[in-house]
Amino acid sequence: MARRPLPRILSSGTASLARGRDFARTAADSATDVLHPLLVIGRGLRILAASGRRKWSETPKDKRGPALFLGAACVLVVALVPYGPLLALITLMAAAAWHGRDRTPAKTGPSATESERLGSLYEALVPYFSIPDDPSPLFAHGGEWDKAFSGYEFDEAGRITRLHIRYPAYFTDGEAASRARIEALLHAKSGRGREYLFDWDEEGNRLDLSVLPALPTGIAAQPFVTSPGESVLGFTDSGTVQRTLPVLEGGRPRDVPPVVWRTGPRSTEPHLLAVGQSGSGTSTLLRSLALQALRHGGDVLIVDGGGSGEYACLTGRTGVLAVECGPVGTVATLEWAAQETERRLIATHRAREAGRPAPEDTRRPLWILLDQPSVLAHLAVAEGGPDPMNHLQVPLRHGRPAHVTVAVAEQFDHLEVLHDAVWQHTRARIVLGPAAIQQITDVLGLPPHTTPTAQVPPGRGYARLGTGPVHRLQVPATPDPYDEGTHPAHRQAVLDLLPERQQGPAPGAALAKAFQGQPPARAVAAAAEAPE
């Protein structure tokens, strides 16, 4: 196979312009800091001049002559006195600096509307944070809310953006149900339609509520700076992961924290399950994984159970073994994948027994991406054929040492159709789109630390790798490049990442034809010798 050059980082005029704008903005900020005293004095002189013109216009005409004579006499006296002009200039500058200072009153406390909102929230928490036997309750009807709320912030609309709450030590903060009741109440009273983060400090009996900013949705598919075996699932909040990636968003470079999924023999989460509703972005996620796998030199098998043709752009590309949309082809493809996994395991075992490294073809990553496989399973059973999902158990159970990775995307309505092997071996879990907290908990195993919103952009959800924490997630925009209803720049970004097309018949057809009635090793050899 011809060696393709690695994709280079964009260094066009767009990046130069962005750096120029940043330099100009930094220079302007520095100049503003240096010239701040002059700006204050200039503003004061303008205020004094405006005040003098106003007083002159208010002076009666019969008194303007004596006033002008008195002013001229004062100027003459100042000019004749030793150091008079210098003292007059110093006095004028001091008066200008005094009148030109920033006289915006500092906010020392909440406004009346904000105090009313905090008091209402305090009263709503009283039934949950108080008991009748408490001699000096922190929360009591008619009590003082400033003793329980030690910190607060509001936005321009008067809604709470950050709140620091102290609660009694006897509150059962170790029970998930108790915390869920408090979080639901705070979500309702602080304003719906936003996503809140709840940070419980059980040792200090404190709860921090904060409004999370929206995750970036304009980051398109691009060559991410990752090593082989690493795949970027999406991007999350800063501070939740110990890594950032340089990306381009709208042509401007920036660093964002990613959610990186590691695959291969040393991975503890070798397979992935993504769940969502229609239009939630699960197909976008699989397309993003396919492009990243192809960039690192892997082979990709795609099963499109939805039959929407969203993976047609990958058909016939270098590294794409097959894109199947029917039950017959899916059965043959997954059967080959199962026996290919066994072949890799046998070849690796024999090489280790002989003291040799594993063969090169067994170390080449093989990705099996299945989008809504339950649809094809239903069609296969309805036609009286075997269930194609039965052949998926071998790659799921033994795929990690054989460099085989399985990623399954399914909808909430069809989760009960998935085999137990999928639930058992997919330790990397993702939930995309709007979903209830209980649905998210059932898939991820833990509830999110934030409040899901009813309206979210495509590709927005939560991710959990193994037994780790739950992260907010925004999948990079990877639309179908043939879908004209999507953003043109995002479609072009996907087209730029697609490998070159192979000449001759599709590799999937050659693979299925070569597999018929042959053992795995001979099938692979026949597929490799098939005419292009």
Side-chain angles (χ1 to χ4, degrees):
M1 183 179 63
R3 181 182 296 273
R4 294 182 291 106
L6 293 175
R8 57 186 179 88
I9 300 177
L10 298 178
S11 59
S12 61
T14 304
S16 301
L17 291 175
R19 288 194 297 269
R21 286 194 295 267
D22 294 340
F23 177 77
R25 189 180 299 109
T26 304
D29 294 340
S30 302
T32 302
D33 294 338
V34 173
L35 300 177
H36 180 70
L38 297 179
L39 296 176
V40 173
I41 293 175
R43 184 165 56 246
L45 290 175
R46 187 173 63 253
I47 294 174
L48 291 176
S51 178
R53 288 196 302 269
R54 185 173 60 256
K55 289 184 178 181
W56 177 259
S57 62
E58 294 176 355
T59 303
K61 293 183 178 181
D62 56 343
K63 295 182 179 181
R64 291 184 177 181
L68 186 61
F69 176 78
L70 180 61
C74 292
V75 172
L76 180 61
V77 171
V78 170
L80 295 177
V81 172
Y83 302 105
L86 180 60
L87 294 176
L89 180 61
I90 293 175
T91 304
L92 179 62
M93 294 297 102
W98 176 260
H99 287 279
R101 73 189 189 279
D102 187 7
R103 289 176 287 184
T104 303
K107 187 177 180 180
T108 57
S111 63
T113 304
E114 295 173 352
S115 298
E116 183 180 356
R117 182 180 289 272
L118 290 173
S120 175
L121 185 59
Y122 174 83
E123 292 290 336
L125 291 172
V126 169
Y128 301 93
F129 285 150
S130 64
I131 58 176
D133 299 336
D134 192 349
S136 57
L138 182 61
F139 285 82
H141 292 293
E144 299 178 359
W145 57 264
D146 54 351
K147 294 182 179 180
F149 302 155
S150 57
Y152 45 83
E153 293 180 9
F154 292 85
D155 58 9
E156 298 178 355
R159 297 193 300 176
I160 295 175
T161 58
R162 184 176 294 275
L163 184 62
H164 186 73
I165 305 174
R166 295 175 52 240
Y167 57 87
Y170 51 75
F171 176 71
T172 56
D173 52 4
E175 299 178 1
S178 300
R179 294 197 303 268
R181 287 193 296 267
I182 299 299
E183 293 175 1
L185 174 64
L186 293 174
H187 183 203
K189 293 295 184 180
S190 302
R192 299 184 183 275
R194 301 183 296 174
E195 196 163 3
Y196 296 90
L197 173 65
F198 299 98
D199 186 9
W200 291 86
D201 181 9
E202 300 180 9
E203 295 182 359
N205 300 321
R206 284 172 172 79
L207 169 62
D208 287 331
L209 175 147
S210 58
V211 177
L212 293 174
L215 295 176
T217 59
I219 302 177
Q222 53 193 281
F224 298 116
V225 184
T226 56
S227 60
E230 293 183 343
S231 300
V232 176
L233 298 178
F235 304 97
T236 184
D237 300 297
S238 59
T240 58
V241 294
Q242 301 178 354
R243 180 177 178 179
T244 58
L245 282 182
V247 298
L248 290 177
E249 182 180 5
R252 301 183 60 181
R254 58 174 299 191
D255 291 341
V256 292
V259 178
V260 178
W261 175 37
R262 295 174 177 85
T263 58
R266 298 183 181 276
S267 173
T268 57
E269 304 89 21
H271 308 298
L272 178 138
L273 172 63
V275 184
Q277 301 289 354
S278 178
S280 60
T282 53
S283 299
T284 296
L285 174 63
L286 292 187
R287 236 182 336 263
S288 176
L289 293 176
L291 292 177
Q292 295 181 63
L294 293 172
R295 174 174 172 262
H296 289 299
D299 293 329
V300 177
L301 285 174
I302 300 176
V303 175
D304 184 9
S308 57
E310 294 189 0
Y311 303 94
C313 61
L314 296 170
T315 302
R317 302 284 180 174
T318 302
V320 180
L321 301 182
V323 179
E324 296 294 345
C325 303
V328 178
T330 299
V331 171
T333 300
L334 294 184
E335 187 177 357
W336 174 86
Q339 298 199 17
E340 171 65 9
T341 303
E342 296 175 349
R343 184 196 70 82
R344 292 187 175 204
L345 292 175
I346 295 174
T348 302
H349 178 67
R350 290 176 177 174
R352 290 176 179 175
E353 286 183 340
R356 299 190 305 270
E360 182 66 25
D361 60 343
T362 63
R363 290 179 291 172
R364 184 179 177 88
L366 174 62
W367 287 71
I368 306 174
L369 308 179
L370 300 98
D371 193 354
Q372 300 185 42
S374 61
V375 178
L376 293 178
H378 176 75
L379 292 177
V381 173
E383 294 178 358
D387 186 355
M389 296 298 292
N390 293 331
H391 302 292
L392 198 61
Q393 297 186 20
V394 175
L396 285 172
R397 295 178 186 272
H398 310 289
R400 185 180 66 172
H403 294 270
V404 178
T405 302
V406 179
V408 181
E410 193 53 86
Q411 296 187 4
F412 278 107
D413 299 337
H414 303 150
L415 288 182
E416 66 278 358
V417 185
L418 292 180
H419 286 213
D420 294 338
V422 176
W423 288 104
Q424 182 178 358
H425 297 282
T426 53
R427 294 174 50 83
R429 303 284 181 85
I430 293 178
V431 176
L432 298 179
I437 294 182
Q438 187 59 45
Q439 290 179 311
I440 300 175
T441 305
D442 293 341
V443 176
L444 302 183
L446 279 180
H449 295 293
T450 62
T451 53
T453 56
Q455 301 293 332
V456 294
R460 172 68 178 82
Y462 298 92
R464 187 187 183 202
L465 302 179
T467 58
V470 178
H471 299 285
R472 289 205 308 165
L473 182 73
Q474 179 63 51
V475 178
T478 316
D480 180 7
Y482 301 151
D483 184 6
E484 297 181 355
T486 56
H487 198 285
H490 296 170
R491 289 191 285 116
Q492 185 60 41
V494 175
L495 290 174
D496 295 340
L497 293 177
L498 290 175
E500 298 178 357
R501 288 191 179 275
Q502 291 183 347
Q503 302 296 328
L511 179 64
K513 181 178 180 181
F515 174 72
Q516 297 296 330
Q518 299 184 25
R522 191 180 303 173
V524 175
E529 298 174 358
E532 297 185 357

